[in-house]
Amino acid sequence: MPTLHKLTSAETAHNMGVAILKYGLYPRCRAQNYDNLQNNIFDWKVMNPVGLAAGFDKHCEAIDGLLNLGFGFIEVGGVTPEPQPGNEKPRVFRLHEDKAIINRYGFNSFGHQPAVVHVENWYNKLSENKRGYVGVNLGKNKSTLDAAQDYVKGVENFGPYVDFLVINVSSPNTPGLRKLQAQDQLQTIIKAVVEANSKLERENKPPIFVKIAPDLSESDKVAIATVVAARDSGIDGLVISNTTLSRPESLQNKNKVEVGGLSGAPLRQMSTDLIRDMYRLTFGRVVIIGVGGVFSGQDALDKIKAGASLVQIYSSLAYEGPPVVEKIKKELSELLKKEGFENVSDAVGYDVKEDKCATS
Ligand SMILES: Cc1cc2nc3c(=O)[nH]c(=O)nc-3n(C[C@H](O)[C@H](O)[C@H](O)COP(=O)(O)O)c2cc1C
């Protein structure tokens, strides 16, 4: 992938990377298993907490190839119910010096229908020996007025097959989407989605996550926490966070002026801080997936200690290619040992619990 990036535009490199994985042209990684990275979350036995973030496999077409890279879980999509082209090209920009990406894809999607076929194929091939867990990131069409209905369609179409679903109310490139994080709107969407999930004809319903933006005010955070941590909310987790609209002063590359969401190293601290805030505000009641600027085992551990049970990567995969997955796992396993944690689960929220002890 890094080589592809040198040869062509960011979007073409990305599409080629997905195609290589889709057609099995990338050699299968010798995924190492680390005992101290294995964890039970929901009814899952996760082999390691490192996952793929949404937006890499937007059309859900490379599920097996991605699981072969050694991820413990992957999130494919975002998908919209109907096909839509997204914004005009160019719409992805690399900021090399900053180890960052700005994108304004705007939910380019082939729609639910072809994506469901891919997900159903993966599901039908599943053996007892499951390699990793798969979730779908659900978006809404630009022209849809009743957002809740688009998310409900996502639950109905993908819910029968996947391990988890993510309600994406935080992509910055669909007008008005982030406003759905406001308390009333979020409550309406969650109520509709949870009801649709309960009607799925399967014994274990897929856990539902809400993916949030890093650009939230204190009152936004409290409002979201109030809705998702309510005992009867039906929400199982938060994905923290999506890309930021802010532009840290540290950015060097000329592409920093491009409109869109910024991901990668400059997002790292922002998302870790938000994980810590939301872990506190939700009293540890929901599972947090931490995402934003994870390039190393230390970055992953920082998010885990702030309250994340699982982490995801996108930008580091784009910059460093598939070996980064094994690198992060190895480093994380070693760091946990060094810091005296028997298992990754012992480190979840460690910093927040320490703070509490210090102030009580
Ligand atoms: C090109 C690109 C496309 C993305 N598309 C989506 C998407 O469709 N849905 C979503 O929830 N997040 C999307 N994201 C956000 C990522 O899932 C992730 O939250 C963000 O990039 C931060 O992680 P990172 O710093 O490891 O890249 C996208 C990110 C990038 C760079």
Side-chain angles (χ1 to χ4, degrees):
M1 231 166 297
T3 315
L4 290 178
H5 276 181
K6 287 194 187 97
L7 298 175
T8 178
S9 77
E11 181 160 352
T12 308
H14 172 214
N15 291 339
M16 286 167 79
V18 175
I20 285 169
L21 292 165
K22 176 177 174 180
Y23 295 109
L25 301 175
Y26 189 81
R28 189 173 173 159
C29 291
R30 265 205 227 114
Q32 279 274 343
N33 288 331
Y34 299 92
D35 285 347
N36 63 350
L37 296 188
Q38 292 179 23
N39 193 5
N40 295 336
I41 297 171
F42 309 121
D43 59 347
W44 309 352
K45 288 187 179 16
V46 192
M47 292 305 282
N48 72 80
V50 183
L52 174 77
F56 187 85
D57 182 7
K58 284 211 184 253
H59 314 300
C60 314
E61 40 192 0
I63 296 177
D64 282 316
L66 284 163
L67 287 174
N68 281 344
L69 301 184
F71 287 114
F73 70 108
I74 62 171
E75 183 181 333
V76 290
V79 270
T80 58
E82 301 303 323
Q84 62 175 35
N87 291 323
E88 255 175 53
K89 294 177 188 173
R91 50 195 179 176
V92 201
F93 306 88
R94 297 183 297 256
L95 287 72
H96 285 281
E97 302 91 318
D98 307 297
K99 294 222 160 175
I101 299 171
I102 291 176
N103 92 84
R104 51 169 180 266
Y105 267 112
F107 281 144
N108 56 315
S109 177
F110 297 155
H112 282 182
Q113 202 248 335
V116 171
V117 172
H118 294 306
V119 172
E120 192 179 352
N121 281 343
W122 162 77
Y123 178 84
N124 287 336
K125 279 190 305 192
L126 273 182
S127 64
E128 288 289 299
N129 200 356
K130 194 164 181 164
R131 271 179 305 146
Y133 293 85
V134 176
V136 174
N137 181 280
L138 303 174
K140 73 170 264 296
N141 280 109
K142 192 175 175 183
S143 58
T144 297
L145 297 177
D146 184 356
Q149 279 318 302
D150 275 13
Y151 296 112
V152 164
K153 283 179 194 159
V155 175
E156 290 170 349
N157 289 335
F158 294 97
Y161 312 112
V162 294
D163 298 306
F164 67 105
L165 291 162
V166 180
I167 309 302
N168 177 3
V169 282
S170 51
S171 282
N173 304 307
T174 295
L177 195 82
R178 286 187 167 189
K179 293 210 176 101
L180 302 177
Q181 295 174 112
Q183 192 158 349
D184 287 358
Q185 306 235 44
L186 193 58
Q187 230 148 10
T188 306
I189 291 170
I190 287 176
K191 190 166 173 281
V193 160
V194 168
E195 194 183 323
N197 201 37
S198 72
K199 287 188 188 151
L200 291 176
E201 285 180 16
R202 59 184 272 190
E203 205 181 322
N204 295 327
K205 316 294 181 209
I208 296 180
F209 288 77
V210 177
K211 183 163 179 178
I212 62 175
D215 313 310
L216 296 172
S217 67
E218 291 310 309
S219 61
D220 294 334
K221 294 179 202 172
V222 172
I224 292 169
T226 306
V227 177
V228 301
R231 293 247 177 239
D232 57 354
S233 79
I235 293 300
D236 303 280
L238 286 171
V239 183
I240 304 172
S241 70
N242 217 311
T243 54
T244 178
L245 286 169
S246 70
R247 294 291 182 267
E249 295 221 336
S250 60
L251 294 179
Q252 302 290 318
N253 190 281
K254 62 175 176 27
N255 284 336
K256 66 185 175 187
V257 297
E258 292 294 343
V259 171
L262 174 74
S263 60
L267 176 64
R268 183 182 302 138
Q269 194 57 46
M270 226 181 286
S271 81
T272 305
D273 290 343
L274 183 59
I275 291 165
R276 189 175 300 109
D277 289 347
M278 296 309 288
Y279 185 75
R280 273 204 193 100
L281 290 168
T282 56
F283 313 105
R285 278 188 206 150
V286 293
V287 171
I288 293 178
I289 299 178
V291 50
V294 175
F295 282 69
S296 69
Q298 184 66 62
D299 301 338
L301 184 57
D302 290 345
K303 285 191 164 39
I304 291 166
K305 283 166 131 185
S309 298
L310 300 162
V311 297
Q312 290 177 328
I313 62 168
Y314 186 134
S315 299
S316 60
L317 181 66
Y319 275 99
E320 299 187 9
V324 77
V325 183
E326 286 303 311
K327 185 195 92 150
I328 294 171
K329 283 159 60 179
K330 182 168 184 284
E331 289 174 357
L332 178 61
S333 173
E334 284 167 4
L335 277 171
L336 288 167
K337 275 188 213 147
K338 200 169 135 204
E339 296 198 14
F341 296 108
E342 212 170 292
N343 182 273
V344 62
S345 56
D346 302 322
V348 175
Y350 183 80
D351 284 349
V352 179
K353 289 170 197 153
E354 285 292 289
D355 286 355
K356 269 192 207 144
C357 294
T359 52
S360 59

